[in-house]
Amino acid sequence: GKAITYELLEANWVQESVLQPRRNPRTLTVSVVDTAEEEENRDLERIQQIRDSIQDTRERLREEANQEGRLGEININYLPLTQNIQLHDQNDLIGESAVPRIASGKGMDEEKWWLKPEFINENLDFATGVVRKRGLGKGLYYKAYAEDDDVRTAIDLPRRGKVAVIAGLGGGSGSGIFIDLVRDLKQTNRTAEMTLFGILPNNSEGDAETANAHAALSEMEYLSPRGRISSRTRYWYRSIRPGSAEKRRISCSRRTR
């Protein structure tokens, strides 16, 4: 999911469509949520490169502007779920004091907490993320939501607008988090127009990734008719061929509704 997000943010057409001077300028805020601790430095370097590219585009549009109006804004936030929460050992996810705190912060019954010792590495090593464990990814999101103000602030939408959630469905983080994330976003702003882009595994990935994607789609299909996500949620199933964000401009823009 984050790879597609970076690719789109690097595309000239995306930057220009947001930054173009207007009387009512556009604002795009992007929050990248991840659990892979070893990838943080690489992600931050790429985000800085994207910010530099955005600044270059702003300066070019300012020089080329032949109409009144203000330039738009693109803001990028990086939210590693494990950064601001206590994760020393298993007890921080399944301990007698941890579970009630997480459940209370997320507004759920602590008896429904699903994580068990056999699902968690003893030393809580998240160097490469949750390694295709959907339940663990979901648990980290619940804990971060309950304990990390930055996560809750990112989800608290301040005004009406359009929201897109881009999630890889083959791993454990995006696949485990996206349904709860969409539900939380919808609760904070019920008038927002929300679109989910689920990235399916390709042919080079393994059975575990395929199983995760199948489970994620099955869960979404189960919840939808029961109104557990949104009574007005609609789903389209499409296959997008690999290619650059520049080449996908027309197809992407027509698939947002």
Side-chain angles (χ1 to χ4, degrees), residues 33 81 102 106-108 112-114 134-145 151-152 155-156 163 165 167 169 172-188 194 196 216 219-220 223 228-230 235:
V33 181
L81 288 183
I102 296 171
K106 196 63 176 65
M108 64 172 290
K112 295 182 179 179
W113 187 244
W114 59 90
R134 296 183 67 236
L136 182 55
K138 181 185 179 83
L140 283 179
Y141 172 72
Y142 272 51
K143 183 175 176 66
Y145 187 94
V151 173
R152 289 194 301 274
I155 295 170
D156 186 12
V163 179
V165 176
L169 301 185
S173 298
S175 178
I177 291 170
F178 79 100
I179 286 179
D180 292 285
L181 178 59
V182 169
R183 184 185 291 119
D184 290 338
L185 287 168
K186 202 65 179 176
Q187 287 178 348
T188 60
M194 202 163 299
L196 169 66
E219 186 177 358
M220 186 169 61
L223 292 173
R228 299 285 293 279
I229 298 179
S230 171
Y235 301 101

Side-chain angles (χ1 to χ4, degrees), residues 91-136:
N91 287 326
D92 290 323
L93 286 172
I94 58 176
E96 293 182 357
S97 61
V99 173
R101 184 172 62 252
I102 296 171
S104 175
K106 196 63 176 65
M108 64 172 290
D109 185 349
E110 63 183 85
E111 298 298 327
K112 295 182 179 179
W113 187 244
W114 59 90
L115 286 180
K116 305 296 181 184
E118 57 267 29
F119 301 148
I120 309 172
N121 293 331
E122 183 176 354
N123 296 324
L124 297 185
D125 182 7
F126 297 112
T128 56
V130 297
V131 196
R132 297 177 296 281
K133 296 178 180 178
R134 296 183 67 236
L136 182 55

Side-chain angles (χ1 to χ4, degrees), residues 31-76:
S31 297
V32 179
V33 181
D34 199 18
T35 61
E37 295 176 343
E38 277 189 353
E39 298 177 12
E40 180 174 352
N41 289 337
R42 184 164 64 249
D43 285 336
L44 291 175
E45 288 178 3
R46 187 165 184 184
I47 288 172
Q48 186 56 52
Q49 292 172 356
I50 294 172
R51 286 172 175 156
D52 292 342
S53 174
I54 291 170
Q55 183 59 32
D56 290 341
T57 302
R58 284 178 60 88
E59 293 176 359
R60 175 171 56 81
L61 291 175
R62 184 181 292 110
E63 293 174 357
E64 296 174 354
N66 55 7
Q67 60 184 16
E68 296 181 359
R70 292 175 293 150
L71 293 171
E73 294 183 7
I74 300 177
N75 304 307
I76 308 174

